[in-house]
């Protein structure tokens, strides 16, 4: 696990965008795993502006998002579908057919999970997966206690996750479940970059640094992966 400390959020976003750009330079038809949440917004902003300056094309990229809330339609602003349109997909040239986000409105959720897993496999597998980390150590929505062997599945959101994400919702509308890639799905990616920024991630990062592998801290599975980069930093003055 390679740890890279950044001085501020701008640097985190630039470095994350550079890792993605390097991946696409070496393999323009890369399969990229993408994350949502507050942390990667700056990375998407960087990628969009590089695309607008014609420094990069995503035309041959295939993208798979980590997760989606169950019960939120595409049109709902809190869905990760809307997030991706707003922050990234709506501004770049990834073909619509090559953008994948789990379907939180599927009638057959189990079938949707299986199909998601199969389409990742059919694409040749994920070359580079971007993940964030929850205060409870989740990656994707793999909450503490999730099996390291898990594939894409339906999960109950933990109280900690619901608290952290409540800022995006009316209390009554905060979903209780999500579809998420599993820990095994994430671990099959050829390389992984974990983004963590801000003081509320300090404890989770300290736990990750211990190197102890335990199911009660899902991100610890990453210690068993040969190619993980952790980009991290804390707020500098005036931020956050
Ligand atoms: P955040 O979410 O980027 O909004 O902090 C990360 C996560 O919970 O995985």
């Amino acid at each position: 696990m390679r740890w890279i400390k950044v001085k501020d959020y701008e640097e985190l976003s630039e470095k994350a965008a550079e890792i993605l750009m390097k991946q696409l330079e070496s393999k323009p038809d890369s399969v990229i795993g993408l994350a949502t949440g507050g942390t990667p917004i700056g990375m998407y902003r960087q990628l969009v502006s590089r695309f607008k300056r014609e420094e990069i094309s995503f035309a041959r990229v295939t993208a798979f998002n980590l997760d989606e809330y169950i019960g939120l339609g595409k049109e709902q602003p809190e869905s990760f579908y809307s997030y991706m349109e707003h922050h990234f997909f709506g501004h770049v040239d990834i073909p619509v057919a090559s953008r994948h986000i789990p379907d939180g409105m599927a009638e057959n959720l189990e079938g949707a999970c299986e199909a998601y897993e199969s389409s990742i496999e059919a694409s040749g597998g994920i070359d580079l997966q971007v993940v964030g980390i929850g205060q409870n150590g989740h990656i994707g929505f793999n909450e503490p206690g999730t099996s390291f062997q898990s594939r894409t599945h339906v999960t109950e959101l933990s109280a900690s996750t619901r608290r952290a994400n409540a800022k995006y919702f009316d209390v009554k509308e905060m979903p209780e479940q999500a579809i998420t890639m599993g820990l095994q799905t994430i671990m099959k990616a050829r390389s992984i970059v974990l983004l963590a920024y801000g003081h509320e991630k300090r404890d989770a990062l300290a736990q990750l640094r211990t190197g102890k592998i335990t199911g009660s801290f899902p991100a610890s599975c990453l210690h068993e992966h040969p190619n993980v980069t952790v980009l991290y930093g804390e707020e500098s003055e005036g931020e956050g």
Side-chain angles (χ1 to χ4, degrees):
M1 190 173 278
R2 201 162 43 246
W3 289 74
I4 301 177
K5 185 166 187 183
V6 296
K7 65 176 189 309
D8 55 22
Y9 183 66
E10 199 56 25
E11 192 183 357
L12 180 102
S13 304
E14 272 165 24
K15 283 212 173 342
E18 271 158 26
I19 290 173
L20 233 126
M21 301 234 331
K22 282 220 180 75
Q23 172 66 40
L24 298 194
E25 269 160 29
S26 69
K27 187 180 176 201
D29 59 347
S30 288
V31 180
I32 304 289
L34 295 173
T36 50
T39 315
I41 289 176
M43 173 190 79
Y44 291 128
R45 203 181 300 131
Q46 287 280 338
L47 291 171
V48 168
S49 61
R50 287 165 199 229
F51 172 73
K52 289 194 170 145
R53 293 201 299 268
E54 298 182 8
E55 293 168 16
I56 186 169
S57 166
F58 301 94
R60 295 173 61 198
V61 165
T62 303
F64 286 93
N65 266 72
L66 280 170
D67 44 22
E68 177 62 285
Y69 292 112
I70 289 177
L72 292 195
K74 293 180 172 173
E75 68 296 342
Q76 270 173 276
E78 301 87 355
S79 69
F80 291 155
Y81 180 93
S82 294
Y83 172 107
M84 290 306 295
E85 282 302 307
H86 180 72
H87 292 292
F88 191 48
F89 289 157
H91 310 280
V92 297
D93 59 346
I94 302 180
V96 173
S98 306
R99 308 169 182 178
H100 303 274
I101 302 180
D103 180 4
M105 294 296 280
E107 267 178 41
N108 175 357
L109 290 167
E110 298 303 326
C113 292
E114 271 304 310
Y116 203 68
E117 203 67 40
S118 306
S119 57
I120 295 173
E121 270 160 38
S123 75
I126 294 171
D127 293 300
L128 171 64
Q129 175 70 55
V130 179
V131 298
I133 185 168
Q135 293 168 37
N136 62 2
H138 75 199
I139 50 175
F141 275 137
N142 293 285
E143 304 286 25
T146 306
S147 162
F148 285 3
Q149 266 68 56
S150 53
R151 293 151 55 92
T152 303
H153 63 284
V154 171
T155 182
E156 305 288 323
L157 301 180
S158 72
S160 155
T161 298
R162 297 186 80 230
R163 261 196 312 278
N165 289 3
K167 57 180 180 280
Y168 301 116
F169 290 91
D170 263 340
V171 193
K172 286 198 295 291
E173 285 158 19
M174 174 89 209
E176 293 178 7
Q177 290 185 311
I179 295 184
T180 182
M181 282 186 197
L183 293 173
Q184 190 191 83
T185 322
I186 294 169
M187 288 288 282
K188 276 201 274 187
R190 293 177 191 99
S191 60
I192 298 174
V193 55
L194 185 151
L195 307 180
Y197 195 76
H199 59 267
E200 69 273 18
K201 300 294 167 71
R202 193 181 297 156
D203 292 349
L205 289 180
Q207 166 95 27
L208 187 62
R209 266 197 197 273
T210 65
K212 184 173 168 218
I213 299 175
T214 161
S216 61
F217 192 76
S220 67
C221 71
L222 299 175
H223 289 294
E224 291 181 335
H225 192 285
N227 191 355
V228 177
T229 303
V230 179
L231 273 179
Y232 73 104
E234 297 186 357
E235 279 101 335
S236 55
E237 272 177 53
E239 276 187 334

